Amino acid sequence: MQWEVVIGLEVHAQLSTESKIFSGASTAFGAAPNAQACAVDIALPGVLPVLNRGAVERAIKFGLAVGAKVARRSVFSRKNYFYPDLPKGYQISQFDLPVVLGGEIPILVDGVEKKVRLTRAHLEEDAGKSLHEDFHGMTGIDLNRAGTPLLEIVSEPDMSSPLEAVAYARELHSLVRYLDICDGNMQEGSFRCDANVSVRRPGGPLGTRREIKNLNSFRFLQQAIEYEIRWQIDTLESGGKIQQATVLFDSDRGETRAMRSKEEAHDYRYFPDPDLLPLEISEAWIEEVGKTLPELPQAKRIRYVSDFGLSAYDAGVLTSSKELAAYFEEVVSIYSDAKVCANWVMGEVNGWLNKAGIEIAKCPISSRALAGLLNRIGDGTISGKIAKEVFEAMWNGEGEADAIIEARGLKQISDSSALEKIVDEIISNNPSQVADYRAGRDKLFAFFVGQAMKATRGQANPAQLSEILKQKLAG
Amino acid sequence: MFNSSLKGLSAQLADRKISSVELTREFLKRVGELNPVLNAFVTVDPEASLDQARIADAMISSGRAGPLTGIPVAQKDIFCAKGWLTTCGSKMLSNFVSPYDAHVIERFNAAGAVNLGKTNMDEFAMGSSNETSFFGPVKNPWDIKAVPGGSSGGSAAAVAARMAPAATGTDTGGSIRQPAALCGISGIKPTYGLVSRYGMIAFASSLDQGGPMAKSAEDLAILLNAMAGFDKRDSTSLERQPEDYARDLEQPLAGLRIGIPKEYFAEGLSADVEKAVQAAISEYEKLGATIVEVSLPNTRLSIPVYYVLAPAEASSNLSRYDGVRYGYRSANYRDLTEMYENSRAEGFGAEVKRRIMVGTYVLSHGYYDAYYMQAQKLRRLIARDFAESFEKCDVIMGPTSPSTAFDLGEKGDDPVQMYLSDIYTIAVNLAGLPGMSIPVGFGDNGRPVGLQIIGNYFSEAKMLNVAHQYQKATDWHGRMPNI
C-alpha cells in the first residue's frame, strides 16, 4: 500500500548573545552549576525581566535572511506550567504575535531543489536543567541555562521524507551560523530539533501527528523519523490508530517512545506578560540590521556556479558551512583555477578533516599554505600525485609545500636531456618489449611510462616524459 | 517630636538638636511600646536600623545630608531589603531573607534614610483589612476594634500612631489610599510606572504601584522625590525628566476645577463619610476652586474587571513560590507533585488561594476570551471615562472608601463585601492614574474619613499642591489618635 509522509520541524536555535534574554547573567557554556544564575534567573521575589536587544537583533537578522516579515509589533506571553527547572513557574515566550512571520528555506535533495516554507520564528527563554544522577534519591537543579535566548523556528509540514527533513535542518543550521546568530553546537544543545511526523494516503486527509522531541544530531533526526514512519505505517496497516503524542528518541535502541499523550497535556494559560511592553521594531532598526547581513549560502552557490564555473553540487558542498566557503574563497584568491581549488578542498581537505573528525576551523593546513602547494602543481614543480604526498606531510606539520619538496627532493624532472638519457637506457634494456610495441602492441606504452617513473622515483614530468617516449619508441 | 513633620525633623537633624541615632532610638522605643497592641510591624532590627542611623549621622556631619538623611522610614514588607526578612505577609516567605535591595530601598538608602522596620500587610497585598496577614491583623490606632484597612495597613497604622514619621506602601486596587483613609493619614499612589517595581514583590504587575504614606502632603512630596524615577530594571518604568514634586505646593487654588463624579455619591456610601467629604469640597470652594460635575459611568464595572485581571496576573506571579528554591517547603511529601501541592496548600492563606484559583480559571482554555480579553476591553472603557472627565476638570474628588474603618472580623466571611470596600479606588489603578487620600474629618463612630483626589497622568505635583493647600487651611491631618 502507498503512504505519503508529512514532516514539519521545530528548531530551537540558541542565540549567540553574551548575556541572557531577560537578565544580565552570562550564557557561556560549561560553568559550575548555578554559577551563572542571577536573581532574575532564580526568580527571586520582586525581580523583573528586561529584554536583551541583541536577541531581538538576531531574530530580525534571521527574518530578513529567510525573506520573512519582521513584525513591527510582537508580544511576549507567559506559558504557565510547574517544573522544578522552570523557576518562575512560567516561560516567557511569544504566542499569538511572534517576531518573525513566514519566510522559506531552499533545500536540495537528489539534485532537486525544493522550498520549505516557514510558519514563524519567535523569541523565548530556555529552562534550566534537572540533574537526576549524583544526588541519591534527590534531584539537583542547575539554572545556568535558564533564561538563555532561543529562537524557535517553526516550518510548515512541507517535507515528505527523512532526507528532506535532514536537508532542511542542515540548511537551517548552516544559515544560522552564516548569520552568526547561533554557534550551532549540537552537542551542547545550541541547535535542537523537534520533528512532527504523520503519514497519510496519497491525496487523503492529514494523519494524526506525533512529535519527536529534542533531537540533537542530524543522524538521530534521520533515524528517529525513519523509525517513526515505519512504526506509524505498521500501526495503521495492522488496523491500529495513531494517538497524538509527544515521543522521545532512544538513540541506543533506535526507537521512539511516547512521553505523554496530548490528552493529559497542560493548559498553558498563555497571556501577555505584564512585566514586558510589546516589542516595537522600527523600520530604521530593520534597515540597520539589514546592512549587517552577510552573503547568504544561496547567493554564494549561484555565484560559484556563474563566476567559478563549478557544478551546482560542488557549489553546495563548498557553501555548506560559512567557514568552508571562506577557506575555499581564500584559496581561490591566491590560486585562480577555481576547479582545481574546489577539487582539492572537497577531496583532500574534506577527506582528511573527516578522517580526523575535526572542523575546517581547526585544519592544520591554512588556505594560504594549500594555495602554495597548488602553485607548485601549476608551475610544473611537482605532479598531482606527488602533491598528495606533500599534502600529507603538510598535514603532519612538516612545514610549507616548498620546504617539503626541497627536503624530500620531490622536484619534478623536467630536464629533457636527463629524461632522454633515462628513456634511452630503458629502450636498450628492454629490446623485446620495444619490438612488440613497434609491431603494434600500443598497450605497452604504459609499461615504458612505469619503467621511467620507477627510475625517476616518480619525479619525471609526466607530459614531457610521454612526449620523449613517443618520439624515441617511434624509432 | 512624634508629631513633627519630615521638614521639622530634618531641620532638627541639620541643627544637631538631635542625631539620627537618637531619633531612631526614640521611634524604635515607641514601636516597642505600641506594637504589641497594634501589630503594625512584623520585623524590627534595631541594630540594622542604628547602623544606618550612624551612616546618616556621618553624612550630616560631612555636609552631605538631604531632606531624608537620618529620617526613620517604615518599609512595607513587600519591598525586598538586603539582609532583612521580607515576608510579604505570608507563611510562604516567612523565612525569606532578601539578598538584594528593591529600587525603592536603594533610593531611600542613597538618601540616607533609616529603615525603621518592615510593616505588616495583607498576604501578598491581597486584602482590604489587613486580616489576611500570616502574622495576624493590624489594629487601627483610632480604635483597636477596627481594621486599619489594607493591604498597606501596617504602614498606615504605624504613621497614624506616630510609630514612624513616614512609611512606604503599594497600591494595586487602593492599598495605599484605603488604609490611609481608614487611619487618618495621607498617602499617594503615583502614575503607573513612576516608581520602579523592581524588588517590590508582585501581586498584579499591570496595576501594582509603590508610593509614600505620611502625615501630610508636604511630607509625601519629599518622599516621592526619593521614590520616583526611571529604573532600567523595570521595563514598565517610565523614562522621564526627574521632577520636584514639592515645587507647586504653595500655588494658590483659585480657578482650580474639581470634578465630582456623581457615581461616587450614590448608593452604598455611608452618610457620615459623605458629610465629611462634602464639607471638604466646600472648603475647597472657599479656597477658590470651582465644582464641575463629571461622570464615570463604567466605574461600576471596575470591581468585576479588577477581580478578573488582578487574580489572572497573580495566579502566574505567585507560581514561583513552589518550595523548590527558597521560601516555605512542606515537610510532608513523597514526590514532586505532593511537594508542590503541600507546600502551596500550607504556605498560602485562604484569600491568596481563592485569587490563584479565580486567576487560573479565567486564563484557562475556553474561558480566556470571555473573561480576560473582555476585562481588558472594559479596562480601556474605564480609562476613557477618566480621559473625558479630565477635559472638564483638573482633579477629581470623592470619598476614598464607602465607610469608615469597619470592625475586625466584620467582613471576614464575605469576600464580595470586602471587595466592595475598594469600589472608589480600583478604577484609578485600572486606568494607571495617580490617586491620593487625605484625612478630612471623622465619622459618627469617631473613625477617620478620607478624601480621594484623582489626578491626570503625571499630575502628582498638582495633586500634592491641592492637598497641601487644604492641609494649610485645616488641621485634620495633624490629629493624633489617643493611644
Side-chain angles (χ1 to χ4, degrees):
Chain A
M1 272 197 271
Q2 278 279 303
W3 291 96
E4 218 169 73
V5 174
V6 178
I7 305 167
L9 251 54
E10 287 169 27
V11 170
H12 288 88
Q14 181 180 318
L15 298 176
S16 58
T17 53
E18 306 238 310
S19 59
K20 294 184 179 178
I21 184 164
F22 299 118
S23 84
S26 166
T27 53
F29 182 82
N34 297 309
Q36 287 173 182
C38 71
V40 173
D41 305 325
I42 302 171
L44 286 183
V47 297
L48 297 168
V50 177
L51 180 60
N52 182 338
R53 274 178 69 91
V56 179
E57 216 165 85
R58 285 163 176 77
I60 297 173
K61 223 170 169 181
F62 178 80
L64 293 176
V66 298
K69 183 178 161 228
V70 176
R72 298 297 179 277
R73 183 173 177 277
S74 61
V75 169
F76 286 98
S77 289
R78 294 184 182 178
K79 179 181 181 178
N80 294 283
Y81 64 97
F82 285 98
Y83 204 70
D85 58 26
L86 187 74
K88 294 187 290 298
Y90 58 85
Q91 177 196 31
I92 305 177
S93 180
Q94 294 191 303
F95 184 51
D96 42 10
L97 295 170
V99 63
V100 172
L101 286 156
E104 58 188 26
I105 300 280
I107 59 169
L108 192 68
V109 175
D110 296 332
V112 180
E113 193 175 293
K114 175 172 177 174
K115 286 187 162 64
V116 175
R117 292 167 301 155
L118 299 181
T119 314
R120 59 186 277 166
H122 66 254
L123 286 164
E124 64 181 26
E125 60 179 341
D126 208 345
K129 265 184 197 161
S130 294
L131 308 165
H132 299 290
E133 293 121 31
D134 309 334
F135 294 99
H136 307 289
M138 295 191 285
T139 297
I141 307 291
D142 179 3
L143 296 177
N144 283 350
R145 205 181 62 185
T148 298
L150 301 176
L151 188 67
E152 181 174 335
I153 304 157
V154 182
S155 84
E156 290 288 302
D158 281 355
M159 290 151 279
S160 50
S161 71
L163 282 181
E164 285 187 4
V166 170
Y168 166 79
R170 280 190 187 279
E171 193 60 37
L172 198 58
H173 183 254
S174 156
L175 179 67
V176 295
R177 292 173 75 220
Y178 263 93
L179 294 172
D180 207 14
I181 61 173
C182 169
D183 69 15
N185 191 322
M186 296 179 82
Q187 269 109 51
E188 291 174 4
S190 300
F191 189 90
R192 315 192 283 267
C193 306
D194 302 339
N196 282 296
V197 180
S198 65
V199 298
R200 67 169 168 188
R201 295 293 183 195
L206 281 173
T208 305
R209 67 188 162 86
R210 303 212 309 166
E211 182 179 13
I212 316 168
K213 279 274 182 201
N214 262 328
L215 296 160
N216 65 355
S217 84
F218 298 123
R219 196 159 55 90
F220 292 162
L221 177 67
Q222 182 168 346
Q223 288 173 356
I225 295 175
E226 279 168 355
Y227 177 87
E228 181 63 23
I229 292 169
R230 267 201 315 278
W231 183 85
Q232 289 191 16
I233 292 175
D234 287 350
T235 303
L236 290 171
E237 289 187 344
S238 57
K241 266 193 157 175
I242 306 293
Q243 299 285 337
Q244 192 171 346
T246 303
V247 303
L248 283 179
F249 179 63
D250 181 336
S251 55
D252 295 329
R253 306 174 66 169
E255 309 174 344
T256 55
R257 236 176 312 143
M259 212 164 103
R260 52 169 190 253
S261 76
K262 283 275 174 179
E263 294 105 274
E264 49 191 272
H266 296 99
D267 177 355
Y268 291 118
R269 290 173 283 120
Y270 279 101
F271 75 106
D273 191 333
D275 287 332
L276 292 162
L277 302 173
L279 169 59
E280 310 273 357
I281 299 175
S282 67
E283 198 68 49
W285 193 6
I286 296 173
E287 246 172 66
E288 196 183 303
V289 173
K291 285 183 199 145
T292 68
L293 277 187
E295 186 184 24
L296 298 176
Q298 206 186 1
K300 256 194 206 304
R301 279 199 294 273
I302 293 168
R303 182 165 62 86
Y304 284 11
V305 172
S306 64
D307 291 11
F308 297 146
L310 300 181
S311 70
Y313 176 81
D314 289 0
V317 173
L318 290 170
T319 56
S320 64
S321 87
K322 187 185 182 177
E323 291 77 14
L324 188 66
Y327 185 94
F328 166 71
E329 288 181 27
E330 282 156 18
V331 179
V332 175
S333 73
I334 303 169
Y335 187 74
S336 61
D337 189 333
K339 278 190 180 164
V340 170
C341 294
N343 286 339
W344 275 83
V345 172
M346 287 163 52
E348 291 306 291
V349 174
N350 252 354
W352 282 81
L353 289 174
N354 285 342
K355 225 186 310 175
I358 55 177
E359 299 288 320
I360 184 77
K362 300 228 171 86
C363 182
I365 301 176
S366 71
S367 51
R368 163 175 289 279
L370 178 67
L373 173 64
L374 301 188
N375 268 328
R376 291 299 156 264
I377 305 173
D379 66 12
T381 308
I382 54 173
S383 66
K385 196 170 165 226
I386 291 292
K388 289 186 180 173
E389 183 188 335
V390 177
F391 183 93
E392 184 174 353
M394 289 167 76
W395 184 277
N396 292 329
E398 290 178 32
E400 301 253 320
D402 286 344
I404 294 165
I405 293 165
E406 190 61 43
R408 295 197 176 184
L410 296 174
K411 217 167 173 174
Q412 196 160 256
I413 300 169
S414 305
D415 175 345
S416 42
S417 59
L419 286 178
E420 276 175 33
K421 207 175 138 204
I422 290 164
V423 170
D424 286 343
E425 247 172 64
I426 291 169
I427 289 176
S428 63
N429 290 344
N430 298 285
S432 62
Q433 281 86 345
V434 173
D436 287 355
Y437 177 82
R438 285 181 177 156
R441 278 188 66 194
D442 290 352
K443 279 183 182 165
L444 275 169
F445 190 71
F447 163 79
F448 295 109
V449 172
Q451 290 296 310
M453 281 295 178
K454 202 173 158 190
T456 60
R457 288 183 296 139
Q459 283 164 257
N461 180 322
Q464 220 175 341
L465 174 66
S466 149
E467 196 60 34
I468 292 168
L469 269 173
K470 272 184 188 154
Q471 217 184 324
K472 299 247 175 198
L473 285 169
Chain B
M1 181 191 72
F2 293 118
N3 206 22
S4 173
S5 69
L6 282 186
K7 215 182 204 172
L9 292 175
S10 236
Q12 290 189 49
L13 287 164
D15 297 345
R16 314 291 174 87
K17 291 196 173 123
I18 192 165
S19 70
S20 177
V21 168
E22 287 161 344
L23 189 65
T24 303
R25 281 215 174 97
E26 288 297 322
F27 276 102
L28 283 170
K29 199 172 141 223
R30 191 167 169 85
V31 171
E33 285 161 9
L34 296 181
N35 206 48
V37 181
L38 297 177
N39 197 28
F41 285 80
V42 289
T43 303
V44 283
D45 183 345
E47 272 321 300
S49 300
L50 290 168
D51 280 348
Q52 283 189 302
R54 284 182 202 103
I55 294 169
D57 282 331
M59 284 170 79
I60 294 166
S61 325
S62 62
R64 289 180 290 127
L68 285 174
T69 309
I71 306 284
V73 178
Q75 299 290 353
K76 185 177 181 179
D77 208 19
I78 199 167
F79 289 103
C80 287
K82 193 172 177 177
W84 288 77
L85 265 178
T86 301
T87 70
C88 221
S90 182
K91 181 179 181 182
M92 186 56 92
L93 290 176
S94 53
N95 62 359
F96 178 69
V97 176
S98 177
Y100 79 104
D101 281 328
H103 182 254
V104 163
I105 299 287
E106 281 176 359
R107 285 296 190 95
F108 277 113
N109 290 347
V114 172
N115 184 346
L116 187 63
K118 306 296 287 290
T119 59
N120 204 347
M121 56 181 284
D122 279 298
E123 185 179 7
F124 284 102
M126 297 177 191
S128 309
S129 67
N130 228 291
E131 293 168 297
T132 71
S133 170
F134 172 64
F135 302 97
V138 177
K139 311 288 169 56
N140 191 317
W142 293 93
D143 184 343
I144 58 167
K145 291 194 303 297
V147 302
S151 67
S152 311
S155 287
V159 173
R162 305 322 194 228
M163 297 156 89
T168 54
T170 60
D171 189 315
T172 306
S175 283
I176 287 175
R177 291 160 287 160
Q178 187 254 17
L182 270 46
C183 288
I185 63 159
S186 304
I188 184 165
K189 177 205 98 73
T191 304
Y192 181 81
L194 209 64
V195 172
S196 168
R197 293 185 295 114
Y198 187 79
M200 193 178 102
I201 298 177
F203 158 19
S205 314
S206 75
L207 300 160
D208 296 344
Q209 182 62 206
M213 303 174 85
K215 294 186 292 290
S216 69
E218 195 178 20
D219 288 358
L220 291 179
I222 295 170
L223 294 158
L224 189 57
N225 278 345
M227 292 174 77
F230 175 65
D231 176 13
K232 64 176 170 28
R233 295 167 302 183
D234 174 1
S235 307
T236 61
S237 166
L238 298 159
E239 200 163 2
R240 312 181 77 240
Q241 281 298 316
E243 51 180 308
D244 175 8
Y245 295 100
R247 67 180 188 271
D248 291 334
L249 287 176
E250 299 305 336
Q251 294 293 319
L253 296 186
L256 178 77
R257 297 170 303 161
I258 298 174
I260 305 295
K262 55 176 187 272
E263 293 83 0
Y264 280 34
F265 294 86
E267 204 194 326
L269 177 62
S270 307
D272 56 346
V273 171
E274 178 165 10
K275 200 173 140 207
V277 169
Q278 292 293 5
I281 293 168
S282 301
E283 183 66 36
Y284 272 105
E285 287 182 289
K286 281 187 224 157
L287 292 168
T290 55
I291 304 303
V292 193
E293 191 180 290
V294 295
S295 177
L296 302 169
N298 291 301
T299 290
R300 62 187 179 84
L301 299 173
S302 59
I303 287 189
V305 167
Y306 178 85
Y307 280 99
V308 168
L309 297 181
E313 293 181 18
S315 70
S316 175
N317 281 335
L318 270 60
S319 293
R320 67 188 60 196
Y321 310 113
D322 56 6
V324 173
R325 299 168 313 288
Y326 54 79
Y328 178 77
R329 184 192 290 185
S330 172
N332 305 306
Y333 59 89
R334 284 165 302 184
D335 57 27
L336 178 65
T337 306
E338 265 191 26
M339 186 183 98
Y340 282 149
E341 287 174 353
N342 295 348
S343 299
R344 289 169 67 82
E346 295 161 21
F348 289 136
E351 184 61 27
V352 169
K353 283 184 219 169
R354 180 179 297 128
R355 297 199 196 189
I356 290 174
M357 283 191 282
V358 169
T360 303
Y361 179 80
V362 300
L363 289 176
S364 296
H365 187 69
Y367 297 96
Y368 179 82
D369 289 349
Y371 290 105
Y372 186 85
M373 288 296 280
Q374 190 65 14
Q376 289 289 19
K377 283 182 202 154
L378 295 175
R379 183 177 185 172
R380 285 192 285 276
L381 290 184
I382 290 165
R384 204 178 62 191
D385 280 357
F386 283 106
E388 284 168 2
S389 296
F390 281 122
E391 287 170 9
K392 291 185 254 171
C393 64
D394 304 306
V395 291
I396 290 171
M397 286 186 188
T400 305
S401 177
S403 68
T404 57
F406 42 92
D407 285 347
L408 284 155
E410 190 181 322
K411 299 187 180 181
D413 297 335
D414 190 344
V416 174
Q417 276 309 306
M418 186 72 87
Y419 298 167
L420 282 171
S421 66
D422 292 331
I423 178 85
Y424 305 129
T425 49
I426 277 179
V428 175
N429 298 78
L430 290 169
L433 290 165
M436 67 184 295
S437 181
I438 56 171
V440 291
F442 295 90
D444 298 340
N445 50 13
R447 298 174 187 171
V449 173
L451 171 77
Q452 184 174 209
I453 305 170
I454 303 166
N456 212 339
Y457 300 106
F458 310 115
S459 68
E460 286 80 3
K462 178 84 204 165
M463 294 160 68
L464 291 163
N465 159 235
V466 168
H468 178 63
Q469 291 303 310
Y470 176 86
Q471 291 181 334
K472 271 173 71 176
T474 60
D475 74 339
W476 300 114
H477 66 288
R479 308 266 182 108
M480 254 173 85
N482 247 333
I483 187 146

